[in-house]
Structure formats: C-alpha cells, structure tokens
C-alpha cells in the first residue's frame, strides 16, 4: 500500500506496511532512501522535517530517561 508523507513540505508516496500497532514506510529517491518505523501513531498524521542539530533531541531524550528513573 502507498501513503503520502510530507518531507520538508514536499509530499512523497511511501510504500507502507502495517500490523496491529506499528507500521513501516519507505521511499527511494535518487542517491538516498528514507525509512520510518512507528508505533501507535496514524501514518496520516506524520510529516518529516530535516534536522541539522541533533543535540537538543538527545538532551531531551536523556532528560526524559532521568525523569522516568526518578533522578530529577
């Protein structure tokens, strides 16, 4: 099955595979490919954006882990 997913505002048709609680999507572009795996999220509500700096996401993830462990 194919579904549209936007990347930086441009809509591409991804091949999508689904089961009860998760799904996978993939698309091939000249010179690269994109793959997504998600759980408990409707593919229709997903859009992707390019990220140049991963550090804020890593810091946020580390903070959530500390909170889950009760370290904060």
């Amino acid at each position: 099955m194919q579904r549209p997913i936007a990347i930086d505002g441009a809509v591409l048709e991804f091949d999508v595979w689904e089961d009860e609680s998760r799904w996978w999507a993939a698309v091939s572009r000249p010179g690269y490919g994109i793959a997504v795996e998600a759980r408990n999220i409707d593919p229709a509500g997903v859009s992707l954006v390019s990220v140049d700096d991963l550090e804020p996401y890593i810091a946020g993830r580390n903070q959530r882990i500390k909170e889950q462990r009760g370290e904060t």
Side-chain angles (χ1 to χ4, degrees), residues 4-24:
I5 297 177
I7 301 175
D8 292 331
V11 177
L12 299 176
E13 289 293 325
F14 278 69
D15 291 318
V16 176
W17 302 269
E18 299 180 62
D19 71 13
E20 297 87 33
S21 64
R22 62 185 174 169
W23 55 270
W24 303 263

Side-chain angles (χ1 to χ4, degrees), residues 17-69:
W17 302 269
E18 299 180 62
D19 71 13
E20 297 87 33
S21 64
R22 62 185 174 169
W23 55 270
W24 303 263
V27 67
S28 220
R29 307 303 300 158
Y32 64 94
I34 299 169
V36 177
E37 178 181 3
R39 293 173 189 233
N40 304 316
I41 298 173
D42 183 356
V46 171
S47 64
L48 305 174
V49 295
S50 297
V51 175
D52 294 322
D53 182 8
L54 292 178
E55 185 57 38
Y57 297 94
I58 295 168
R61 176 184 171 275
N62 290 342
Q63 182 63 35
R64 280 190 305 278
I65 290 170
K66 286 181 181 180
E67 289 170 2
Q68 289 172 346
R69 291 179 178 166

